[in-house]
Amino acid sequence: MAENGLIALTAIEASEKIAGGEISSEEYTAACLDRIAAIDDQVHAFVHLDPKEALNQARALDEHRRNGYALGALHGIPVAIKDIFDTADYKTECGSPLLKGRQPMRDATAVSRLRAAGAVIIGKTVSTEFAYFHPGPTRNPRDLTRTPGGSSSGSAAAVASGMVPLAIGSQTNGSMIRPASYCGVYGVKPTHGLVSRARSLTLSRALDHVGVFARSLADTALILETLAGYDADDPDTHPLAAPAFLETLAGAPPMPPQFAFVRTPVWDQAEPDTRAAFEALAEELGEAATPIDLPPSFTRAWEDHRVIMATDMAHNLGGIIARGPDRASQQVRDFVAEGKANAAVRYLEARDAARSYAAGLTTLFDRYDAILTPATTGVAPVGTATGNPVFCSLWTLTGLPAVTLPLLAGEGGMPLGVQLVGPAGDDGRLLRSANWLIDRLAG
C-alpha cells in the first residue's frame, strides 16, 4: 500500500490491518514519520520527536505479534502526546522555558495506558505556555496563516494534517474543543474524572480534563476505551468499570435523539456566519432540535469559571513562575496575579455556583439527549492568537462531556465545529447521539 494510503487510514482501519498482518506497525509508523518530515517544518506540531525511538517501539510491537502474544486495542498505532503529560522517554516542558530540559522519570497514567494497549508513543506535541493562552509556533494545517487554536495546538494540528491518527490533549477552558473545531477534526472532552490526569500539568483540579483528537468519531471511542478508568493517583476518577464506547457508538439509539439548541448567554459573541449556520442547522433538524434559553442565573458562569481558573493557576503555577518571572509571558504573569488577588470567599462562591449550574443542566437531560451549540465563535482566526474559548467555558466548568464534529464550514471553507454536550458520566450516549447526527446530516 502506498504511503498516502497508509496515512489516510483511521486508527481502527490501521489496527485491523496490523492485526491481520496486511501491514506492519513499523510500516505504518514510518509512513507517519515520513509525513511529519515532509510538512512539520511548516505546521510545527511537534516539539519533541525521535524517529529512531518510535521505530524501535514499532519493531518491538511487530515482534510481539509475530510471537503470538495478545494484541492491545491500539497495537501498532502511533499516538501523539501533548507536552504537558510526563513521558519517561521524552522531555516534558509544558511549553515554557522555565521547564526547559525537564525529563520525567515516569509516564503519566494516560501515557502508560496507551503503551499498555500497544500504542506507539511517536512524540510530544506543542502546547501553549503552561496550557494557557500564550501561543507556540504551531500553525493551522488547513491554512498556515491561521491559528490551530490552543492550548492543545500541536495535537489537533498533527491529527488534522495526517501526521498521526490519534493524539491526546487537555482542556481547562476550551483547549480541546476549540482546536478540534479550528483544525476540522473530531475532539472529545470527556466527563470530568473519566480519564486520569496523574503526572500531567495541573492548572485546576476542578477544571482540568484529558481529551482526545481523531479523524473519525469511532476512533475517539477506540482511544477513550483505553484511557478511561479509575486511577488511585487521581482522586477525581471513580472505581467503576470503563464504558464500552465502541459498542455503544455502534448501536442504534432506542429513539431518534432530541437536541436542545442552546445559544447560551454569550450568543452575541458568535460571528454572524456562525449564528446563521447554527440557525440553519437547527431548522434542518426540525423537531429534533428545540431552541432552549438558559435561566438568567447562568449569566455569571463565565465569570465564575475565570475566578476558579485564575485562582487555581495562581496556586499551582505561582511557585514555578517565581523562579524566573522574566521567562514567563506577560499573559501568564497577569493571570496568576489576578488569581492571587481573588478573595477566598469569591472563589468558594464560584465553586458552589459551578455545582449549581451542573445540577440545573442535569434536569435538561431528562428531556433531551444532548445540547447542540457552537464549538467556537467562528472559524480559526488569522494570526497567532489562539481564539476565544467562550463557547466551551460553561461545559468545562460543569464537567460535562463534550464532542465537536467537523460538520460545517465558514469563511473560506474553513472548518466550523458542531459541539454536542451530554449528561455527566454518559459519554457513550453522547457519542451515539453524535453518530446519529452525522448520519442524519450525511443522508
Side-chain angles (χ1 to χ4, degrees):
M1 183 179 291
E3 175 192 321
N4 285 343
L6 287 180
I7 63 169
L9 294 173
T10 67
I12 289 176
E13 290 168 342
S15 66
E16 289 173 349
K17 290 182 181 297
I18 291 170
E22 293 181 56
I23 61 174
S24 68
S25 175
E26 182 179 358
E27 289 171 331
Y28 188 46
T29 301
C32 291
L33 289 168
D34 287 346
R35 178 69 170 167
I36 294 168
I39 66 170
D40 201 41
D41 61 343
Q42 301 173 63
V43 177
H44 304 293
F46 283 87
V47 64
H48 299 301
L49 185 73
D50 184 343
K52 182 178 178 181
E53 166 60 22
L55 289 171
N56 284 340
Q57 291 179 56
R59 291 183 189 115
L61 289 164
D62 286 334
E63 182 67 18
H64 183 90
R65 178 188 170 278
R66 282 192 295 270
N67 289 334
Y69 294 113
L71 306 186
L74 297 175
H75 186 91
I77 304 301
V79 180
I81 310 297
K82 181 179 180 179
D83 192 35
I84 68 161
F85 294 89
D86 282 1
T87 41
D89 50 358
Y90 285 107
K91 293 180 175 62
T92 303
E93 298 170 331
C94 303
S96 170
L98 283 164
L99 299 181
K100 191 74 174 174
R102 177 179 174 269
Q103 178 60 65
M105 300 296 291
R106 297 176 61 193
D107 286 334
T109 296
V111 176
S112 65
R113 287 184 175 171
L114 292 170
R115 290 194 201 274
V120 174
I121 306 304
I122 198 168
K124 304 296 286 291
T125 51
V126 171
S127 168
T128 61
E129 179 196 26
F130 291 120
Y132 188 56
F133 279 106
H134 189 68
T138 309
R139 307 308 304 144
N140 191 315
R142 309 284 182 180
D143 178 349
L144 296 175
T145 69
R146 298 176 186 266
T147 179
S151 62
S152 305
S153 316
S155 288
V159 171
S161 57
M163 298 184 198
V164 287
L166 299 170
I168 64 170
S170 66
Q171 178 161 312
T172 310
N173 191 349
S175 297
M176 287 289 312
I177 297 298
R178 185 165 87 263
S181 176
Y182 285 168
C183 293
V185 296
Y186 293 86
V188 178
K189 178 198 77 67
T191 297
H192 186 262
L194 183 73
V195 179
S196 172
R197 301 154 303 180
R199 290 177 294 283
S200 64
L201 174 69
T202 300
L203 296 185
S204 167
R205 176 179 167 182
L207 303 174
D208 291 345
H209 299 67
V210 176
V212 300
F213 297 100
R215 292 194 299 273
S216 78
L217 190 63
D219 277 1
T220 68
L222 174 72
I223 187 171
L224 281 173
E225 285 194 359
T226 292
L227 292 171
Y230 176 67
D231 178 14
D233 290 335
D234 184 338
D236 292 320
T237 61
H238 307 289
L240 302 170
F245 291 114
L246 279 169
E247 181 181 343
T248 304
L249 177 69
M255 296 180 65
Q258 293 292 305
F259 300 99
F261 175 33
V262 177
R263 296 176 179 87
T264 77
V266 295
W267 184 244
D268 62 333
Q269 296 190 45
E271 295 171 8
D273 285 354
T274 302
R275 294 199 296 268
F278 275 83
E279 297 286 359
L281 174 59
E283 184 176 348
E284 181 178 353
L285 290 173
E287 293 183 356
T290 304
I292 297 291
D293 292 324
L294 296 177
S297 59
F298 277 80
T299 57
R300 203 183 184 193
W302 284 260
E303 180 187 336
D304 289 329
H305 176 278
R306 185 178 182 94
V307 167
I308 294 169
M309 186 170 174
T311 307
D312 284 350
M313 282 181 61
H315 172 70
N316 291 310
L317 298 183
I320 298 173
I321 291 170
R323 298 179 207 157
D326 57 323
R327 290 186 288 159
S329 71
Q330 192 65 49
Q331 281 175 301
V332 166
R333 282 182 284 160
D334 288 349
F335 200 60
V336 166
E338 178 183 325
K340 288 181 177 179
N342 286 331
V345 170
R346 178 68 187 96
Y347 175 78
L348 294 173
E349 286 175 349
R351 290 294 303 272
D352 284 345
R355 288 184 279 271
S356 177
Y357 302 136
L361 291 167
T362 297
T363 62
L364 200 61
F365 296 116
D366 291 338
R367 180 177 176 187
Y368 299 100
D369 294 275
I371 290 167
L372 171 70
T373 195
T376 55
T377 58
V379 302
V382 173
T384 59
T386 57
N388 189 343
V390 68
F391 280 101
C392 304
S393 306
L394 178 59
W395 323 120
T396 304
L397 176 66
T398 52
L400 300 181
V403 56
T404 183
L405 314 173
L407 298 178
L408 301 178
E411 173 202 344
M414 289 294 291
L416 185 64
V418 174
Q419 183 173 203
L420 297 182
V421 181
D426 211 347
D427 301 60
R429 174 183 164 194
L430 175 64
L431 293 180
R432 185 176 64 191
S433 297
N435 203 38
W436 181 92
L437 180 61
I438 293 167
D439 290 344
R440 166 71 183 269
L441 296 181

